[in-house]
Each structure stands twice: as C-alpha cells, then as structure tokens.
Amino acid sequence: MFALEGDAKEHPTAESAQRSLDEATRKLRSALPKAILIAADANGLKGILGLIEDTRDGIGSKQDFLVRLNPALQAPVGKRRVQAVCDEIVATANSFGLPARSLVVLAALSAALVPNGKSPAKGVLKFKSGYGSREAYNALADLRSLELLMHIFAIWPDQPVMLCTADKDLALFWAGLRASKFVHRAGSMTFEMDPAPLVPGISREQWLAWLKG
C-alpha cells in the first residue's frame, strides 16, 4: 500500500514506486526479521504498477468529484443545509458516473450527515482550503486500500487478512461501513454493507433511493 500510494500525492512513477517498495521492504525486514515478505521483488513492482494503471481513470473522476464538493463540505454542514448538501453530493456523483454505494460517495454523504463534522469520513477525505487534485488523490489512495482489502477478502475468503494502519479515521470509517459477504465472481467483486453509523438519520427508503440513483 505504501508503494502504491506514493509520497507525492499523485500516481507514482515506476521509479518512485520502486523507491517506496525498497524502503518498505527495508523497514519491514528490520522490524520483523522472521517475516516472509510477499511481492517485495520485481514481480511485486509489476503488480503495483498494474494496479496503478487499472485504477488511474477511476481515481481521476473521483478526484474531480471531491474537488467539486470541497466548498460544500469543507466546513461542518448545518442542520438546515444537510438535505440540500446531500442532494448536491448525489447529483454530483451521478454527473461523474459514480454510484452512491461507492466508498467515496458514501464518505462524502457521511461528512455531511454526521453532526458537527465529526464523521471519520471527514478526516479521510481531508477537505480544507486550497483543496485540489493532490489532496483528493491522497484521500482516494486511503479509500483504495479499503477497496483492495475487500477484494482480498473476496478472492481468498479462507485466509486471515489484516490491514495495518495508524490512520484512526480510516479505521473508524471501515468499522462504520459494516461490510460483509464479499464475493468474487467473473472478475468482479460484490459485498454488502450496513453503514448506518456513517449516515445517521437516513431512512432505509432514502438509502435505497440513493443507491438506485
């Protein structure tokens, strides 16, 4: 994940990904000398670069989505504005072809719905003054780590898997998703979720309406 995200708030190049992979490998071998490292070689780098290319176009539209919404979500959303802001989020998502159940759209809705800006999604998305594509990329790289985790759960359901992170907001967002029943079939992954803690006050009917677009 470290090499996949990069350190420049943009898609890593082959050279920067190699440097990050080497750095991560050194640190892991120092901290866990008996650990068996997977994908720490040339094949690992090839896989990282493949993931970067596979997700590049999707991340681009999500970056535009977040930058567009920054003015509305930078400050906590007052109770009177919640419905209008949520409608704006869903409309903006539709304009970029993003489904409401995608993690980035759900995170934006959560940032608007949780009172006083206290949703962990707010910390994940990192809205602020001067928010641009680089800040959006940084947020999306974190969400991509959760998407990859879900794919791993689906592809290898019998394997014990853990994502280690020091990002409290990302961990709380994951817990709030209450995602389950990961299935990988015909090259795609499906899952169920019950994100009620992240979208307080939203009825099942409203949630289903958003999902239908």
Side-chain angles (χ1 to χ4, degrees), residues 9-31:
K9 296 184 179 180
E10 61 184 6
H11 294 287
T13 63
E15 292 76 15
S16 65
Q18 180 69 71
R19 288 196 301 271
S20 295
L21 181 60
D22 291 343
E23 180 183 351
T25 300
R26 286 195 303 271
K27 289 182 176 180
L28 286 171
R29 283 180 173 156
S30 175

Side-chain angles (χ1 to χ4, degrees), residues 106-147:
L106 177 60
L109 288 168
S110 181
L113 286 164
V114 176
N116 302 316
K118 292 185 177 180
S119 170
K122 187 93 172 185
V124 172
L125 297 180
K126 305 174 178 67
F127 291 122
K128 64 178 183 178
S129 177
Y131 193 89
S133 61
R134 291 165 65 86
E135 289 75 20
Y137 174 83
N138 196 28
L140 291 166
D142 290 340
L143 291 177
R144 179 173 57 187
S145 70
L146 298 184
E147 292 168 348

